[in-house]
Amino acid sequence: MKEVAARAGVALKTVSRVVNEEPNVSPELTAKVQAAIKELNYTPNESARMLRRGKTGTIAVVIRDIGDPFFASLGRAVELWARSSGSVVMIGLTDEDPERERDVCLEFVARRPDALIMAPIGETQDYLAPHVDAGMAVVTIDRPAHGIEADAVLADNAGGIDQAIDHLVRQGHRRIAYLGDDERIFTARERVVAYRAAMARHRIDVDEDLVHLSEPTTEGIGITLSAVLDRPEPATAILSANNMTTAEVLRGMAGRRDRVALVSFDDLALGDLLSPGLTAVAQSADVMARTAIQLMTERLPEPHRPGRTVRVPVKLTIRGSGEIPPSS
């Protein structure tokens, strides 16, 4: 800044005022300073400037896996907002590992972000309590936090499962297999509970041999499909409880001749191009991200207010796979 001041022939304070966009600098002096900045390729120290204002202009995002279409869309939505607001985004991945979650979050908060948007996996996030007490805004997405005061943006998991089961029952199905994720995950727990409640509401006994909860892998889902379809009374329909499981189910079904109805909780990007098209309960990552950003911006000036939880509606999209009738 001293070099800029010398080149422009102005006081150092004048350069500071121009760089920080403060008033009371004449257009002539502003033009001189801007010309000197351009000639010297001067770049203001954004970190120092933000810290003087008590902000860093940084948003930390901690999610499961950037390869998961839902979380990839979430990360992109936050990045687009940050770009328009002059903020910078740091993204870290947990791989659904509680220890990794803790390590990534603590590495990020050491860099003093203004806010943290995260999809928690650990049983508690109390390790963030000192930072929340110091004024850092925390908003969770897809799952709530525990042990800290934070806002949460959650999908209407129960409502989406209800829509899926109601639809399959209307098609005549009663032997509905449920393939879900690891029950450590909040959404997995909510959805399997909703499945049992929806089946009970329709007075259908749940066959526990048709309920499988595990990490979605190609080998694992292949074994699961065999377990629910290669039996004396096979499932006539499958409710797949997340997009990663659905992708593996479609892969496993490709080599089979079964005509089984399929409804997915979570849509797939090319779901409408399948034959038949994928019937899915769609949740909007963009809407959830925008809601999280809104809560974050509201919390920044009031970091110690009580946490709020917002449930985002989901919608059943009918394309054909969920309309296959039970085989005779």
Side-chain angles (χ1 to χ4, degrees), residues 41-118:
N41 291 319
Y42 168 69
T43 302
N45 187 329
E46 282 295 321
S47 295
R49 185 165 64 166
M50 290 289 191
L51 284 170
R52 283 196 296 272
R53 295 177 178 176
K55 300 294 180 184
T56 63
T58 304
I59 308 299
V61 177
V62 178
I63 55 178
R64 167 184 184 167
D65 178 7
I66 203 68
D68 183 313
F70 173 77
F71 288 115
S73 297
L74 167 64
R76 175 170 174 75
V78 175
E79 164 63 24
L80 289 174
W81 172 85
R83 195 183 307 170
S84 67
S85 66
S87 299
V88 175
V89 176
M90 303 183 293
I91 296 182
L93 310 179
T94 66
D95 295 324
E96 299 292 20
D97 181 342
E99 289 301 316
R100 177 64 182 157
E101 172 199 296
R102 179 188 177 94
D103 291 344
V104 171
C105 286
L106 291 179
E107 286 173 9
F108 279 177
V109 300
R111 292 166 171 77
R112 298 180 62 181
D114 298 329
L116 170 64
I117 297 176
M118 66 181 301

Side-chain angles (χ1 to χ4, degrees), residues 37 40 67 80 82 89 117 134 176 179 215 225-226 229 232 241 259 275 296 300 312 324:
I37 286 173
L40 295 171
L80 289 174
V89 176
I117 297 176
I176 303 171
L179 310 187
E215 182 181 353
L225 286 175
S226 179
L229 298 178
R259 286 278 294 171
S275 181
M296 178 192 73
L300 282 170
V312 176
I324 297 172

Side-chain angles (χ1 to χ4, degrees), residues 157-166 168-169 173-180 183 187-213 228 235-241 263 265:
N157 293 304
I161 294 295
D162 281 350
Q163 291 180 55
I165 293 296
D166 290 352
L168 289 171
V169 171
H173 295 281
R174 296 184 66 82
R175 294 189 57 75
I176 303 171
Y178 180 89
L179 310 187
E183 278 193 284
T187 50
R189 291 196 302 273
E190 278 209 332
R191 291 173 192 176
V192 72
V193 168
Y195 161 78
R196 295 183 187 281
M199 294 286 277
R201 181 163 48 81
H202 285 287
R203 302 178 187 273
I204 301 174
D205 292 334
V206 173
D207 182 343
E208 296 298 333
D209 290 335
L210 299 183
V211 179
H212 293 263
L213 306 174
V228 300
T236 61
I238 294 173
L239 173 52
S240 173
V263 175
F265 196 117

